[in-house]
Amino acid sequence: DAGVIQSPRHEVTEMGQEVTLRCKPISGHDYLFWYRQTMMRGLELLIYFNNNVPIDDSGMPEDRFSAKMPNASFSTLKIQPSEPRDSAVYFCASSRDSQILTQGQYFGPGTRLTVL
Amino acid sequence: GEDVEQSLFLSVREGDSSVINCTYTDSSSTYLYWYKQEPGAGLQLLTYIFSNMDMKQDQRLTVLLNKKDKHLSLRIADTQTGDSAIYFCAERLPSGNTPLVFGKGTRLSVIA
């Protein structure tokens, strides 16, 4: 299995531009999570989906952030417009319901976003 | 509450044992986890312990759980330079399939 795939791995953009981060979860996993990691705040859960349905988006910082999961194998996290304070590493993770207890969540390699 | 606390940094000499500590505030947590994040990579599950256990050993790793004090520790024996990473403690609350609650991570530096 290829694991959780994220693209791009690095993104540098200018303030005000739209940014789209992509994630392909592990096949057969029905939970998908988006996290943001910064030195100041550590690892923050932004939103998670179960069977493509958003369950909790209370961690999404503000309306500039949106996430979608149109099917079981693809999710996007969009920031529009982007701001320098959005600079962080964004992780996608997935898990299978029946194995969630003993195997936790599988993380992708992350997308390092820099907003100038 | 759902706070998981860890110290931010730990430095040890190669060959020594490392002990990374974590405290959590929700006594109803069912599973507790240790994840490892190497530079430039995502988090990888290292080990987990169920709340009815007080110790779990896996090769060089020993996990100790003190439920009374809500304290979890990860001991790495014979620490190697390849163990240098950020270690995250995480807890699972009992209320359904909720996401894990992560600590901020402890950065372990191993000095040769």
Side-chain angles (χ1 to χ4, degrees):
Chain A
D1 198 324
V4 176
I5 299 172
Q6 291 187 247
S7 64
R9 292 295 312 276
H10 302 273
E11 176 83 28
V12 180
T13 190
E14 292 188 343
M15 183 173 68
Q17 297 297 307
E18 178 180 295
V19 174
T20 299
L21 311 181
R22 297 174 176 78
C23 175
K24 178 176 171 23
I26 293 173
S27 176
H29 282 194
D30 45 15
Y31 279 82
L32 184 139
F33 309 84
W34 281 103
Y35 290 88
R36 177 172 70 177
Q37 184 181 34
T38 61
M39 287 291 290
M40 292 296 292
R41 293 188 297 269
L43 196 66
E44 301 173 279
L45 176 66
L46 301 177
I47 185 171
Y48 76 99
F49 296 82
N50 177 216
N51 292 321
N52 313 339
V53 176
I55 302 301
D56 184 354
D57 65 355
S58 59
M60 296 285 261
E62 45 198 276
D63 292 346
R64 297 184 297 107
F65 285 69
S66 62
K68 292 182 181 178
M69 192 164 184
N71 58 61
S73 58
F74 184 65
S75 177
T76 59
L77 178 68
K78 188 176 291 189
I79 308 172
Q80 166 64 17
S82 57
E83 295 183 4
R85 62 193 167 120
D86 301 330
S87 297
V89 181
Y90 291 81
F91 288 103
C92 177
S94 70
S95 64
R96 181 180 288 175
D97 190 356
S98 61
Q99 297 174 354
I100 202 169
L101 293 178
T102 58
Q103 296 190 14
Q105 297 164 193
Y106 292 80
F107 281 74
T111 295
R112 182 174 294 276
L113 173 65
T114 303
V115 183
L116 303 174
Chain B
E2 297 183 3
D3 282 338
V4 176
E5 303 278 345
Q6 300 178 241
S7 53
L8 294 181
F9 300 99
L10 176 65
S11 183
V12 299
R13 293 196 179 278
E14 191 175 18
D16 289 351
S17 291
S18 309
V19 180
I20 302 170
N21 294 302
C22 168
T23 58
Y24 58 98
T25 57
D26 198 315
S27 58
S28 57
S29 292
T30 54
Y31 281 81
L32 294 130
Y33 304 82
W34 283 105
Y35 279 79
K36 178 183 181 183
Q37 183 184 27
E38 295 184 354
L43 280 68
Q44 268 191 307
L45 180 64
L46 263 186
T47 188
Y48 67 91
I49 188 167
F50 186 48
S51 57
N52 70 352
M53 299 166 66
D54 50 26
M55 187 181 93
K56 181 178 181 181
Q57 186 143 10
D58 182 2
Q59 300 181 332
R60 292 190 298 121
L61 306 179
T62 303
V63 179
L64 295 177
L65 175 60
N66 180 332
K67 281 199 74 175
K68 176 175 165 291
D69 295 338
K70 300 190 194 76
H71 183 263
L72 182 74
S73 68
L74 174 69
R75 179 177 181 270
I76 305 172
D78 186 25
T79 313
Q80 303 297 308
T81 53
D83 296 324
S84 293
I86 303 175
Y87 291 81
F88 291 87
C89 170
E91 65 176 338
R92 170 169 304 290
L93 304 177
S95 50
N97 283 314
T98 54
L100 303 182
V101 179
F102 285 88
K104 284 192 168 23
T106 299
R107 185 179 294 273
L108 174 64
S109 298
V110 182
I111 306 164

